Amino acid sequence: MNKINLLFLILMCMSFLTSCNVDTDEIKSYQDIDLSEKSTSYWSLGKCRELLINQNELYVVFKTTSKISKSVQWIVEPRPASNVSNIEESNLYMEAFIPEGELSKIPNVYYKSRVVTEIGDDYMQNVGISIFCSVKLKSGTSVSWLRTVASEYYLEDVQKYSTLPRWYSFKCTNKTPFDALEILNILYETGKVEKVQPFFIQKDNAIISPLD
């Protein structure tokens, strides 16, 4: 490869990387996120795991006090939120799976994520990305660092697992600029986190986590 072609290749790579950057200063809430650009993989429990994005469905958590249009077409109808037990008064929140085009009919959305297909060794299943997630800090990384990052991204309820050394859980809020999977990728890329683990919500209301 001659020098001109090599220079062209370098410039192309730089252009691609620049186009992938997200300016978090311009993102105020989940309503501002272009979910089609979210990651389809994450580094969990020492392994890179792939997720296939469902381009037509969303998982949402919203307040029951919202006035929901009767014309909403539900994929899975609203039910008490299975993964928000410590968000204020949990009975005020519902979760549902909806077509992407129905989102504008649901006010007061607290959290939303793309529905993805989780690919296991011998199974595939469509799931929502839960509001909760967990990380294992590297030896030498202090929890104060995690709390600082949590404050920056409006994450709440940083809690230590009593039986799992250096593992901590936390949750996204309606001010967090990304869904939980993207937050985990950001944390892992700092080099201060050893492992990450999202929690998934099945359409039958089950929560999936290898840490249970």
Side-chain angles (χ1 to χ4, degrees):
M1 180 182 294
N2 60 41
K3 292 183 178 180
I4 294 178
N5 288 337
L6 178 60
L7 179 60
F8 177 76
L9 180 61
I10 292 173
L11 291 174
M12 288 292 290
C13 291
M14 292 176 64
S15 175
F16 173 77
L17 291 173
T18 301
S19 66
C20 292
N21 289 336
V22 178
D23 186 356
T24 56
D25 292 337
E26 296 180 359
I27 299 176
K28 303 304 181 184
S29 71
Y30 271 96
Q31 302 298 332
D32 302 323
I33 301 175
D34 180 2
L35 287 167
S36 64
E37 296 182 357
K38 297 300 101 181
S39 299
T40 55
S41 64
Y42 63 101
W43 194 264
S44 175
L45 304 179
K47 180 180 179 181
C48 185
R49 301 173 186 269
E50 297 294 329
L51 297 172
L52 300 178
I53 292 179
N54 186 318
Q55 296 293 333
N56 302 310
E57 296 182 24
L58 297 176
Y59 164 75
V60 296
V61 175
F62 58 93
K63 287 189 176 182
T64 57
T65 53
S66 304
K67 293 183 179 180
I68 307 299
S69 170
K70 294 182 179 180
S71 64
V72 174
Q73 302 298 309
W74 307 102
I75 294 174
V76 173
E77 293 192 359
R79 63 201 183 195
S82 60
N83 64 329
V84 292
S85 58
N86 58 344
I87 294 182
E88 301 171 10
E89 298 179 49
S90 59
N91 61 339
L92 294 180
Y93 291 87
M94 303 288 284
E95 66 184 9
F97 288 79
I98 61 172
E100 182 177 0
E102 301 294 283
L103 183 64
S104 61
K105 299 179 183 178
I106 304 177
N108 295 326
V109 171
Y110 189 88
Y111 173 85
K112 68 183 178 184
S113 78
R114 180 74 64 190
V115 172
V116 297
T117 301
E118 184 192 18
I119 306 171
D121 294 334
D122 56 358
Y123 69 91
M124 295 177 65
Q125 59 184 352
N126 291 330
V127 294
I129 301 166
S130 164
I131 204 166
F132 287 109
C133 44
S134 298
V135 297
K136 182 179 182 180
L137 301 181
K138 285 186 175 180
S139 178
T141 300
S142 68
V143 67
S144 61
W145 170 83
L146 180 59
R147 294 187 188 280
T148 298
V149 176
S151 176
E152 178 182 353
Y153 288 101
Y154 299 96
L155 307 171
E156 294 183 349
D157 292 339
V158 177
Q159 302 287 338
K160 187 180 187 301
Y161 283 92
S162 59
T163 58
L164 297 172
R166 306 201 310 275
W167 276 98
Y168 293 84
S169 66
F170 49 86
K171 74 171 189 284
C172 299
T173 69
N174 60 335
K175 293 183 179 180
T176 306
F178 306 105
D179 66 32
L181 188 65
E182 187 72 5
I183 288 294
L184 289 176
N185 283 339
I186 290 172
L187 291 175
Y188 185 82
E189 289 167 3
T190 65
K192 294 181 177 292
V193 170
E194 182 177 330
K195 297 176 182 178
V196 304
Q197 181 57 49
F199 294 79
F200 298 120
I201 301 295
Q202 289 179 313
K203 291 182 179 180
D204 63 3
N205 210 23
I207 302 177
I208 310 166
S209 169
L211 300 180
D212 291 340

